[in-house]
Amino acid sequence: MHWSFQTFSSPAEAKKTGQIFQETTLANFRVEALSDGFLTVISQLRAKQVDTWDWFLLGKEADQLIINQGKTNQLLAIDYLRELWEKMGVIPYPHQLSTAKKVIHEMQGQAILADEVGLGKTIEAGLILKEYLLRNLAKKVLILTPASLLWQWYHELYEKFNIAAGIQRSRWDWEFSDILIASLDTAKREPHASVISGIIYDLIIIDEAHKLKNSSTQAYRFVNSLQKKYCLMLTATPIQNDLKELYNLIALIKPGQLGSYRTFKKQFMESKRIPKNPRKLKGLLNKVMIRNKRGAGTVEFTKRIVNPIVISLTPAEQELYRRVTEFIRARSKNSGLKNILPLITLQREVCSSFLATGLTLEKMIVNLDNAEASEAASLLKDLADVKQNSKCDALEKLVRTLTDKVIIFTEFKASQKYIRYRLEKAGYFTVAFDGSLSRGKKQWVRSVFQKDAQILVSTESGGEGLNFQFCNQVINFDLPWNPMRLEQRIGRVHRLGQTRDVQIYNLITKGTIEEHIMFLLHQKINMFESIIGELDAILLHLKLGRSFEAEIMKIFLAHEEKELIREKLASFGDHFLEGQKQVKESSWDLL
């Protein structure tokens, strides 16, 4: 190529000639570049300098990702999972999709998922995980959960996202499993913690993350030491009792987001629970935390329909109830409230079954003085002589009216065995859940209940971590005194994926403490409808000197008249509702 000078007759001719020159030069450059590239490829082939088929596929996938960069707000997982979800009837909710997009495209994979209870935080985390796997941005993944939720996570990931994760069983799993689900309590202990600290993770997911609120605990220090590119923390209660707890959680996700604790305290804390400069603080929180709430724009849950069933005891049963209660009152006067737990258990059991009551009395008798032991022995004899159980009679009558699957909850294993004996004798196919079952056995029982059995009889510990949206009928054979336990029971069926209204049947023995418990939980604080998602925060906010159950027992032991007991429980309920109001007006306004 050579240069020459030329004289043009007009400016238009000069411009036209310049354009031709520019286009010709650019075309020649492209041909020369293509020729050079082609010659380079030929020379590399002759020298056998070629890559493997895997490298070609990786390059092809990289090209596809570049093409998809223009679709920055799209999730590849949606198209990938469409056929699976259609087969299973899974429909992702808009708030779950928007959460996944925001975490991936705006928060760079560092987020606290703080949706209210039942809105599907696990689904959101699974969707984010699937997206990172499809984009080859994550390979080594660790999911830390309470031990009771290991199998629930395994099944959620496998069934809804086609992700085959491992469940940690030995110290070798940490290094050899790419996607591993493990108990946080196991992971933080040696020799496991030392192995984990040497692994670089692409993504770490931590369920029930509010358990890391205290920065001085072993669990907090362990999680803080993990090497990770992306991190998701799941909790419905990021603020429980103190704004410092929120600061600690965010420090694990994004250190420095809220400055030093001294600066945070000065700028944003009026007191432990009341924030200063809430608008500015909320702006900082929104960069690392997403909280979806029930209602318009998220999920409208089905109704809870409460059916109280009042049961009259036979004269013999009522007399035994009176005698056991008097024994408890006398025992509390002698021992004070220091050893109140066995007395609470006994008082609850006498409203459940005499079999459970007798077993507890038998255990207590060795620690009683002669007079108390004599009374306990007399009670044991009379308890054994009563053959009728009016509550179980009412249960059988109720079950005969129900055509679909039913979960029956009791707090006591002895009552559980008696209930199953009565129902099996009446011709029903029942299965049982309790805390002694292995994780695998629990899953097996759940499967049998879903496919074949009509009735599942479960203790509280048996139902932890497992969901039963395919069932919409719950019978509380005995009422728990703690509202959190009651919510956990109902939450096994009344959650995301439940398409029918949930029928709740409460069996209440007339003339017993159960009448008062029903008044407190249902009529006074409206436990069945209004305070889902806030219980943790309210109970901690109340700062009870003893447990919720112990506060009720204290009232019951101090007063014998029905009207006075009701009055004191009403006052206690007012205290609870005031705590609820303060929680809503304080730091929870940030969420």
Side-chain angles (χ1 to χ4, degrees):
M1 190 179 298
H2 64 277
W3 295 92
S4 64
F5 292 93
Q6 184 175 353
T7 302
F8 300 100
S9 60
S10 68
E13 185 180 356
K15 183 177 180 182
K16 182 178 180 181
T17 304
Q19 288 175 339
I20 294 171
F21 175 80
Q22 186 179 24
E23 290 169 4
T24 304
T25 303
L26 184 59
N28 289 337
F29 174 79
R30 286 172 176 164
V31 169
E32 289 172 10
L34 183 61
S35 177
D36 289 343
F38 183 73
L39 290 173
T40 300
V41 170
I42 294 297
S43 63
Q44 287 177 340
L45 285 172
R46 286 172 176 168
K48 296 184 178 180
Q49 294 176 349
V50 294
D51 287 317
T52 65
W53 180 250
D54 288 339
W55 275 106
F56 168 77
L57 292 178
L58 185 63
K60 183 180 178 183
E61 196 162 3
D63 288 341
Q64 190 61 45
L65 285 175
I66 291 171
I67 292 170
N68 286 333
Q69 278 183 347
K71 306 174 183 178
T72 53
N73 64 340
Q74 299 302 311
L75 296 173
L76 304 180
I78 301 301
D79 289 334
Y80 184 89
L81 295 168
R82 192 180 307 280
E83 186 177 341
L84 174 65
W85 283 351
E86 286 176 357
K87 187 185 298 183
M88 293 191 62
V90 175
I91 302 174
Y93 289 90
H95 75 273
Q96 295 170 338
L97 299 178
S98 64
T99 293
K101 291 175 184 178
K102 187 172 182 180
V103 170
I104 292 169
H105 300 303
E106 298 178 31
M107 295 180 167
Q108 288 74 51
Q110 311 284 347
I112 297 175
L113 306 182
D115 292 358
E116 285 186 337
V117 173
L119 289 182
K121 293 182 290 295
T122 307
I123 299 294
E124 292 167 355
L127 189 56
I128 293 165
L129 168 58
K130 188 66 178 182
E131 191 71 17
Y132 279 139
L133 292 173
L134 290 174
R135 292 174 181 265
N136 280 321
L137 294 174
K139 181 180 180 183
K140 192 71 173 175
V141 179
L142 177 63
I143 301 166
L144 297 172
T145 81
S148 61
L149 299 181
L150 292 173
W151 278 102
Q152 180 179 321
W153 268 91
Y154 173 84
H155 284 281
E156 286 282 311
L157 293 180
Y158 184 74
E159 293 172 0
K160 293 185 174 66
F161 300 98
N162 197 26
I163 297 174
I167 293 181
Q168 187 271 330
R169 299 181 185 278
S170 73
R171 60 178 299 183
W172 315 112
D173 294 332
W174 306 112
E175 294 179 283
F176 294 108
S177 293
D178 282 339
I179 303 174
L180 187 65
I181 307 168
S183 160
L184 176 58
D185 285 338
T186 298
K188 72 183 181 183
R189 297 196 303 265
E190 296 295 346
H192 308 289
S194 295
V195 177
I196 298 168
S197 64
I199 300 173
I200 300 175
Y201 289 99
D202 297 310
L203 172 62
I204 289 177
I205 299 173
I206 304 167
D207 199 3
E208 303 289 335
H210 50 268
K211 295 181 179 180
L212 300 171
K213 62 188 178 182
N214 187 342
S215 60
S216 64
T217 62
Q218 181 186 3
Y220 186 96
R221 293 192 298 270
F222 165 72
V223 170
N224 198 36
S225 71
L226 296 176
Q227 302 180 72
K228 53 193 179 294
K229 181 166 60 173
Y230 308 120
C231 184
L232 302 176
M233 300 175 70
L234 283 58
T235 174
T237 52
I239 303 173
Q240 290 188 306
N241 199 43
D242 191 338
L243 281 165
K244 185 179 180 181
E245 298 166 357
L246 179 63
Y247 175 88
N248 290 337
L249 287 181
I250 290 176
L252 288 174
I253 285 284
K254 196 172 182 180
Q257 173 68 12
L258 300 178
S260 68
Y261 179 62
R262 179 181 296 179
T263 304
F264 172 76
K265 189 174 181 181
K266 183 178 180 180
Q267 288 187 345
F268 298 115
M269 288 180 65
E270 193 75 49
S271 65
K272 283 186 174 183
R273 299 182 187 87
I274 301 176
K276 192 193 301 182
N277 301 323
R279 181 174 296 180
K280 184 178 179 181
L281 178 55
K282 191 167 185 175
L284 291 172
L285 295 179
N286 286 341
K287 294 180 179 180
V288 291
M289 184 168 69
I290 300 174
R291 182 172 178 82
N292 296 302
K293 300 182 180 182
R294 296 178 183 223
T298 55
V299 180
E300 295 288 350
F301 275 70
T302 58
K303 295 178 182 178
R304 293 181 175 188
I305 302 171
V306 184
N307 306 278
I309 298 174
V310 180
I311 300 156
S312 296
L313 299 176
T314 65
E317 289 175 307
Q318 192 71 55
E319 175 61 17
L320 267 175
Y321 172 82
R322 184 195 65 78
R323 287 176 57 195
V324 171
T325 301
E326 286 303 316
F327 173 82
I328 292 168
R329 291 185 191 280
R331 178 74 179 145
S332 70
K333 290 176 183 176
N334 293 338
S335 62
L337 296 178
K338 292 181 181 179
N339 299 314
I340 197 171
L341 184 58
L343 301 181
I344 293 174
T345 301
L346 197 61
Q347 188 66 61
R348 285 157 51 200
E349 284 173 332
V350 75
C351 295
S352 179
S353 72
F354 289 163
L355 176 61
T357 311
L359 290 174
T360 298
L361 267 177
E362 195 172 27
K363 293 175 184 175
M364 290 176 62
I365 206 166
V366 296
N367 297 316
L368 302 177
D369 60 31
N370 290 337
E372 289 176 333
S374 177
E375 176 61 19
S378 175
L379 280 172
L380 276 171
K381 179 181 178 301
D382 293 340
L383 285 167
D385 289 341
V386 175
K387 304 301 180 186
Q388 186 173 359
N389 185 299
S390 296
K391 186 175 269 192
C392 247
D393 294 343
L395 176 66
E396 281 190 43
K397 185 177 179 181
L398 171 62
V399 169
R400 281 197 294 270
T401 67
L402 306 177
T403 56
D404 209 341
K405 295 184 184 294
V406 186
I407 299 179
I408 301 172
F409 277 108
T410 176
E411 295 209 58
F412 312 106
K413 286 187 71 173
S415 296
Q416 180 194 42
K417 290 179 180 178
Y418 181 67
I419 292 167
R420 289 196 70 204
Y421 164 75
R422 289 283 301 266
L423 293 176
E424 293 276 354
K425 189 178 178 182
Y428 295 99
F429 180 10
T430 75
V431 286
F433 255 26
D434 64 69
S436 67
L437 298 178
S438 66
R439 297 166 194 158
K441 188 68 177 290
K442 284 184 179 181
Q443 288 293 339
W444 179 79
V445 171
R446 181 186 182 276
S447 178
V448 172
F449 175 47
Q450 184 172 10
K451 294 176 181 177
D452 301 311
Q454 183 189 351
I455 299 170
L456 174 73
V457 187
S458 177
T459 63
E460 247 89 10
S461 58
E464 286 179 359
L466 290 167
N467 301 327
F468 301 89
Q469 294 97 322
F470 56 84
C471 173
N472 74 319
Q473 298 179 124
V474 173
I475 299 175
N476 289 307
F477 186 78
D478 39 59
L479 278 175
W481 294 8
N482 189 317
M484 180 58 76
R485 289 181 177 271
L486 182 58
E487 176 57 36
Q488 286 168 346
R489 286 183 178 185
I490 301 169
R492 299 285 61 110
V493 300
H494 193 239
R495 59 192 304 110
L496 206 63
Q498 179 59 262
T499 58
R500 298 173 290 175
D501 291 341
V502 174
Q503 300 286 343
I504 303 163
Y505 301 91
N506 297 315
L507 304 188
I508 306 151
T509 47
K510 188 177 180 181
T512 71
I513 195 172
E514 279 190 331
E515 267 194 294
H516 301 302
I517 299 300
M518 187 60 181
F519 161 76
L520 175 65
L521 296 181
H522 185 32
Q523 294 174 248
K524 189 62 186 176
I525 64 178
N526 201 14
M527 245 310 297
F528 294 93
E529 297 174 20
S530 63
I531 55 175
I532 303 164
E534 304 167 0
L535 276 173
D536 271 344
I538 296 169
L539 292 175
L540 283 165
H541 186 86
L542 291 177
K543 287 192 170 181
L544 301 175
R546 47 178 59 86
S547 70
F548 196 94
E549 295 94 326
E551 291 293 330
I552 293 175
M553 192 66 174
K554 181 182 175 183
I555 293 171
F556 186 68
L557 291 174
H559 309 283
E560 295 187 29
E561 300 83 1
K562 180 177 179 179
E563 292 75 15
L564 194 53
I565 292 173
R566 185 66 58 93
E567 181 184 324
K568 294 296 181 183
L569 286 175
S571 177
F572 182 59
D574 289 336
H575 182 46
F576 185 97
L577 294 174
E578 180 60 28
Q580 179 189 12
K581 180 181 176 183
Q582 290 177 10
V583 162
K584 285 185 174 180
E585 291 176 352
S586 61
S587 51
W588 278 74
D589 286 339
L590 295 167
L591 305 179

